[in-house]
Amino acid sequence: MTYVDDFPGEARVVRTAFAIAFASIGLGGALGVLQALFRTGYSRSLFSSVDYYSILTAHGVLMALVFTTFFIVGLFTWGVTRSLDTGFRDLRFTWGWLGLMTLGTVLAFVTILGGIVGFIPTHAAVLYTFYAPLEASPTFYLGLALLVVGSWGAGVDYVLALLDWRAEHPDERIPLQTFMAVATMLLWVVCTLGVAVEVVVFLLPWSLGLIPRVDPLLTRTLFWYFGHAVVYFWLLPAYFVWYTIFPKLSGGRLFSDPLARVVFVLFLVLSTPVGVHHQYGDPGLSQGLKFVQMTSTYFILLPSLLTAFTVVASMEHGARQRGGKGLLKWLRALPWENPSFSGIALAGLAFAASGFGGMVNAGLNVNALVHNTMWVPGHFHLTVGTAVALTFMAITYWLLPQLTGKRLRLRTLAAVQPYLWFVGMVFMSNAMHRVGLAGVPRRTSEPQYEQVLFNTPIATMGELHLQTVGGAFILFASLLCFLAVVLSTWLGERGAEPLAVNGHIPEALSGPEHSPRILDDFRVWVALTFLLLLIAYGPPLAAMVQNGLFAPGSAPIPV
Amino acid sequence: MEIHRLEKIWIAVSLLFIVGLIASIVYGVAGVGVGTVGDTGQQLDPSALDDTEFADPGGHWASEDHYVVHVVARQFLFQPGTQEPITVPANTTVTFYVTSPDVVHGFDVVGTQLNTMVIPGQVTEFTTEFDEPKTYGIVCHEYCGAGHQSMAGQLVVVPADAMSQNATASADAANASAVNASTQASIATPEVPA
């Protein structure tokens, strides 16, 4: 029996969420190619540099918010119902939150589109990092708010399913996948509180003209309260895949269930009090506060380092189960032709590389070398753009047959796709990191100035631009392969061929019974999270609102 | 809770690594003196910069070994910086004060550690010293609107004695010897245009 037979209603929810996610990544990827062409100067005739910022906004929102959020709620819907072996309480509620998310996405996207096409009287060229006093049309903020609030509904569904399961299994440990999904959604709710306050209390009334001014530093700080923790909301579902499915794909099973729980609890507790590391260059925030948040930023390396151990150990364990031998020769015994396996392995490799870049970004003073340069997009195209996105694509190859009851088609294309993505990203991200080190700013349509010369050691700027554009085209080709496989499978005939996918996930080598029970008590961890938040964000926020909520204030400046 | 021996070793090494990273930054800040901007406590009304020392941005000597520069970053130029370069003396303590009357901007002196944000209502303050005469580019690296890609400027470092001569030449010759006291005062009471 596959998932679609056990939970046909939930499978439809997951398929719908995935369909919207894939439409977003397809469109967002195409816009990414346009940006690469424009920025590097290969083509500046297609649109104006003003439109560039609308396109950049659409790319950021579609890729970082829409693709990720829809895929994640779909993935967790599968994971929670599968691991608890129970459906959701009321699918009308489920369709309600999915509908709300979709409505929000359409609103935000149409608002952004208004900046490019004349007949829609809206604008939202405020980028994914929508700092006041740059102002978008109210529908942009409203759309983002609905997307976020809708996604909270997913969290409610997971918790309700867990409570239903708990009533029947009072003494059992929470299944690992559900544990991970709930921890991640708790993290998501905690971190989106910041952006919700920013949007609902400040930006929305301000863009509607209900309040004349907002404090730019305060809204910016609320944005970054959310803006780094959101990264872990993207990353943890990838970890969910790496911990619970990847060991099986490697041919073995998970090393340690208890440590996986510890990792997720550490993320829940430590994720939010790190946002100020995006504000090292900001005036109005003390060096002491920056130092405190730098410390938690570095300590959040720990769960990622633990994950690195588990992933590599699982791979090696799997390889040895398959007959792999030797110190490193076991690597050859792994199923590199299976796109679900190779995609995740390559995603992990990209994440290891970008982790080192992240350590640079997190350094209180080293950060000044790369702050707001192209280095940063280089970094997050490896983390979110590869570690997360490639994992999501890879696991789609494994999930889709279970969700549709149809066998994966165009398998050669699927086998090539992760490698293409990896190669494309190596070129593009390498070039981005290096022009960033030369001082080229990010978020700029035309990084050429009469007054400024950028020194690029080793390569010329021309070569790096070629790498950027070349990489972008390879990435887009990879994206087309992915979409072709998905579409072809989706449109295929059900039951024509045997599925060839086994959805069973083996038990961990060291099971949940080896972990202390307190790990499963989320109330403790949420309380600890809020305590740390109070320490990390209480004093600066209190200082900022001391002179009034809206002072020093700025009036909106439409773009 | 059971933790595998290899995992224990890995956790220990990871923690050492993290503590080492933090220690290296502490050494950079406390030992070498490479910090970042902090909270100067200075706030102002971005719509009323004319009532502040930013009314007439530019550089002046605060004392004989301390040069002070006020810069306004606005859509889409630096004042000074874009239309005329910011000129500062070499081998001298230079303090920058930067603010914005409109949106969030960036102030990045390309190829150096001088890389900060400029936020309406806040004053970005940083102090530095340039070793030798050189010309640097400045870019706004925070998206600030439709003309963002054109927002750039220059910072010119000249020998300190050349700066002193300029300052003396433009000032009243009789007051030249008392330049310290008078420029100190001029920070407190900036010229406010009528």
Side-chain angles (χ1 to χ4, degrees), chain A residues 110-340:
Chain A
V110 170
T111 311
I112 300 167
L113 205 62
I116 305 169
V117 297
F119 57 89
I120 307 173
T122 58
H123 57 89
V126 289
L127 307 196
Y128 165 71
T129 48
F130 41 91
Y131 306 132
L134 288 177
E135 181 221 31
S137 296
T139 43
F140 177 73
Y141 301 118
L142 185 65
L144 294 186
L146 291 180
L147 173 57
V148 168
V149 171
S151 69
W152 290 351
V156 171
D157 253 343
Y158 307 154
V159 171
L160 289 178
L162 175 60
L163 292 176
D164 288 350
W165 174 88
R166 175 59 82 206
E168 289 181 26
H169 306 82
D171 296 321
E172 276 183 48
R173 303 303 295 267
I174 303 173
L176 186 58
Q177 284 194 325
T178 301
F179 181 91
M180 290 174 158
V182 170
T184 308
M185 290 315 280
L186 286 172
L187 157 72
W188 174 238
V189 171
V190 169
C191 89
T192 45
L193 284 178
V195 79
V197 170
E198 185 203 8
V199 166
V200 176
V201 177
F202 296 101
L203 300 186
L204 195 53
W206 173 74
S207 64
L208 286 166
L210 300 175
I211 53 172
R213 307 181 126 208
V214 294
D215 178 353
L217 181 64
L218 176 61
T219 49
R220 188 177 152 82
T221 305
L222 287 171
F223 180 86
W224 282 119
Y225 168 100
F226 148 86
H228 194 84
V230 67
V231 168
Y232 298 111
F233 172 63
W234 301 326
L235 189 61
L236 291 190
Y239 279 14
F240 163 101
V241 171
W242 296 4
Y243 273 103
T244 65
I245 314 174
F246 184 65
K248 172 206 164 81
L249 295 172
S250 309
R253 41 198 187 125
L254 173 63
F255 217 55
S256 163
D257 172 302
L259 265 183
R261 285 172 206 252
V262 169
V263 162
F264 272 66
V265 164
L266 280 174
F267 272 114
L268 169 60
V269 172
L270 286 173
S271 279
T272 321
V274 300
V276 164
H277 80 243
H278 287 255
Q279 295 181 276
Y280 285 156
D282 281 22
L285 295 171
S286 70
Q287 294 224 38
L289 167 72
K290 289 171 182 173
F291 189 82
V292 168
Q293 296 222 5
M294 177 185 83
T295 315
S296 42
T297 307
Y298 275 133
F299 272 101
I300 208 167
L301 262 177
L302 182 65
S304 282
L305 288 168
L306 286 174
T307 305
F309 180 91
T310 304
V311 171
V312 176
S314 303
M315 270 196 341
E316 181 175 343
H317 173 70
R320 294 200 190 283
Q321 297 293 309
R322 301 164 70 97
K325 298 256 185 306
L327 192 64
L328 285 173
K329 264 202 254 170
W330 54 266
L331 280 166
R332 283 195 221 151
L334 291 165
W336 293 101
E337 73 294 342
N338 175 354
S340 297

Side-chain angles (χ1 to χ4, degrees), chain A residues 358-384:
Chain A
M359 293 170 206
V360 171
N361 302 340
L364 183 62
N365 44 10
V366 191
N367 175 275
L369 282 174
V370 295
H371 177 70
N372 269 353
T373 68
M374 275 307 282
W375 166 284
V376 177
H379 169 71
F380 67 65
H381 277 88
L382 281 183
T383 50
V384 187

Side-chain angles (χ1 to χ4, degrees), chain B residues 53 60-63 178-191:
Chain B
E53 57 265 48
H60 60 257
W61 288 94
S63 69
V179 74
N180 298 356
S182 64
T183 44
Q184 281 286 12
S186 77
I187 301 177
T189 53
E191 287 175 27

